[in-house]
Amino acid sequence: MTVTMRVLSLFRSVLPLPARLLAGFALLLGMLASSLPAWALNASDLLPPEKAFPAQVTRTGNTLTITFDVADGYYLYRDRLHFSSEPAGLVGNPQLPAGKVKQDRFFGAQTIYHGKTVVTLPLKPGAPSSFTLNANLQGCATAGICYPPYTHKLKVGQRSTLPGWLSDAASGSPSPAARPTLATQGWLSTLGTFLLAGLGMAFTACMYPLLPIVSSLIAGEGHILTRRRGLALSFTYVQGLALTYTSIGIIAGLTGSLLTVWLQQPAVVLSASALMVVFALSMFDLFSIQLPAALQSRLAETSNRLSGGKAATVFLMGAFSALIIGPCVAPPLALALGYIGSTGDALLGGAALYSMALGLGLPLIVIGTFGGHILPRAGSWMNVVKSLFGVVMLASAIWLATPFLPTIAVMLLWATLLIGTAVFLKTFENLPANAHVAQRLGKALGLMLFLIGAAQVVGVLAGEDNPRYPLRWLASKPVQAATLSQPDFLPTTTPASFDSILAQARAQGKPVLLDFYADWCISCKELEADTFPHPQVKPLMQKFVRVRADVTAGTANQQDLLKRFGLFGPPGVILFDGRGKEAGRIIGFTQADEFAHQLQRAL
């Protein structure tokens, strides 16, 4: 779940409706601000590659599972993931997930990975119990910095350490050796962790379609049940829910990480996305999710007694409900199964998923037991809340499907959702003279949604391919590289050679511009095509002694040059004044006007 979705989930559960509207308004302002380009980036803001692309390996039998926990704001290239072993020849061909296709004007379609990415790697027969796995990778920061090729040296053993999603968040980015494992904390800690995880999942929009089912089974379509009977029926329902997840946990423990990889397949994720759309449409009363009329009548007839047949029906419906919401909760469930699969313990897997299912069903038990005693009185506000959940579900569907859809389709889907929501908020209808605060806030919110949605449409028409920055093209008019010549650069390959060039320039009182470049660096290509030849920039660059450090090969000397200036990768432009003192640095792709401003300051 993204940060935005977490925030929405938080304020819808703890704030009253007017406060939710205010919080949503502030959140949308932040979303709008995030769509504007970032003008400056400091090298200190970047993570080193081992923290930007942390990796762990677990072994289950003759299968390795490598988990890359890519930090927010970074991504990995699929085609630049390679694996080898020490000693050599122990691993086969990796099974790589689908990833997201990123269209690049210089390199064409590139498949990239965001967030948690799981790769499985078969072992050759006779592989020793311990050896070193080399995970070679290359990635970039979305701010425009590309890292040189990097190699994780991972120690392979029979048992695994705790995946990154359960690491100690308070310590920032702890080393793998410092991360505690659930196994060492005992069963009580393990089951408690899964119970809390299930309780957290219960407060997502995925659970709302189960409420009418619980109401039909337990409330008996208007018949009054005692609290004791409601508790018994709701608990029975949750046991059916738990049975399905317990079975999945046992399977995960027996089959290892293969189930985790399956949950990341496009067909599964897209099915989950489609299911979210169905749930969302039911929130808008286009149809209702309920039991067949015949079954409802049967349940109504037997609602005054708790017979064996009734309990069996409730139990079976609980098991079926787990299948209904299964794809919807697949992302967090995949993380849980990843850990269970790494342990190879079927008993622990079953108990952990049972505990998670209890947490997932705890709100259903409370509602089934107390019913209307804990719910606020019905009113029009319930339709507002239900519609809000419908919008959140549609947003979740787009978010789930994003890695498997073309960027243009994603931007148009966001535009449709935002503009459609604005229309249903009556944004373009006149307010009455005595309109109250909620109506005015709703109109303001709708206007903001419309503007953000319209920005997505404009971005598509302008050729942008990033939903976060649909208006980046407004920053400055790009200049076609074909119409302007490129400035010349002196090559440098080592710290010593650059020091020699810097000393000569200092002796002549000339400023120096050191440009870090690589053939695989997309932002470097953008600087060459759009910024360096720009009429605002090129005349100023001519006043500098221009030096280029080509770090394409990633040799030791090139790495030493990057480390000397505290850089993790290109592009990076370091400016020196006529005395040889550093006068500024420009990190990442920068538009022509800002680049020219930085050059002017260094002169």
Side-chain angles (χ1 to χ4, degrees), residues 288-340:
S288 60
I289 298 178
Q290 58 184 1
L291 297 174
L295 184 55
Q296 289 187 29
S297 300
R298 175 65 176 169
L299 291 173
E301 293 173 0
T302 58
S303 61
N304 289 324
R305 69 182 191 279
L306 181 60
S307 64
K310 174 71 175 187
T313 300
V314 173
F315 184 87
L316 291 175
M317 284 305 301
F320 177 73
S321 297
L323 301 178
I324 292 177
I325 66 169
C328 181
V329 298
L333 182 61
L335 300 180
L337 294 179
Y339 168 69
I340 294 172

Side-chain angles (χ1 to χ4, degrees), residues 347-403:
L347 183 60
L348 176 62
L353 262 294
Y354 177 80
S355 181
M356 188 189 76
L358 286 183
L360 192 65
L362 185 59
L364 298 177
I365 294 177
V366 173
I367 293 173
T369 302
F370 296 97
H373 299 285
I374 63 170
L375 296 177
R377 299 186 65 178
S380 60
W381 68 269
M382 296 186 69
N383 292 328
V384 174
V385 174
K386 189 163 67 169
S387 297
L388 174 63
F389 291 152
V391 172
V392 171
M393 286 183 182
L394 289 175
S396 301
I398 298 174
W399 176 69
L400 284 174
T402 291

Side-chain angles (χ1 to χ4, degrees), residues 488-535:
D488 297 326
F489 290 89
L490 296 174
T492 185
T493 55
T494 65
S497 65
F498 174 72
D499 287 339
S500 176
I501 296 174
L502 184 62
Q504 295 177 19
R506 184 171 60 245
Q508 300 174 15
K510 292 184 177 181
V512 175
L513 181 153
L514 174 60
D515 172 48
F516 284 89
Y517 168 90
D519 290 339
W520 36 258
C521 171
I522 294 175
S523 295
C524 298
K525 302 285 187 181
E526 291 176 334
L527 282 173
E528 281 199 327
D530 300 335
T531 303
F532 290 167
H534 196 281

Side-chain angles (χ1 to χ4, degrees), residues 27 61 68-69 92 219 221 280 293 296 314 321 348 391 401 450-451 478 550:
L27 181 62
F68 296 95
D69 198 1
E221 295 296 333
Q296 289 187 29
V314 173
S321 297
L348 176 62
V391 172
F450 173 78
L451 291 176
D550 190 331

Side-chain angles (χ1 to χ4, degrees), residues 374-457:
I374 63 170
L375 296 177
R377 299 186 65 178
S380 60
W381 68 269
M382 296 186 69
N383 292 328
V384 174
V385 174
K386 189 163 67 169
S387 297
L388 174 63
F389 291 152
V391 172
V392 171
M393 286 183 182
L394 289 175
S396 301
I398 298 174
W399 176 69
L400 284 174
T402 291
F404 309 101
L405 297 177
T407 305
I408 292 178
V410 173
M411 296 177 72
L412 291 177
L413 285 172
W414 282 119
T416 302
L417 175 61
L418 294 170
I419 295 175
T421 304
V423 171
F424 279 97
L425 284 173
K426 301 181 179 180
T427 302
F428 306 105
E429 298 181 17
N430 293 328
L431 286 175
N434 59 345
H436 50 75
V437 175
Q439 287 178 301
R440 296 183 185 276
L441 284 177
K443 189 176 182 69
L445 178 63
L447 182 59
M448 293 296 296
L449 291 172
F450 173 78
L451 291 176
I452 298 174
Q456 297 290 327
V457 176

Side-chain angles (χ1 to χ4, degrees), residues 560-580:
D560 289 342
L561 198 55
L562 284 167
K563 291 178 181 177
R564 173 173 172 175
F565 294 102
L567 299 178
F568 298 118
V573 176
I574 314 298
L575 304 175
F576 301 85
D577 60 22
R579 296 171 298 173

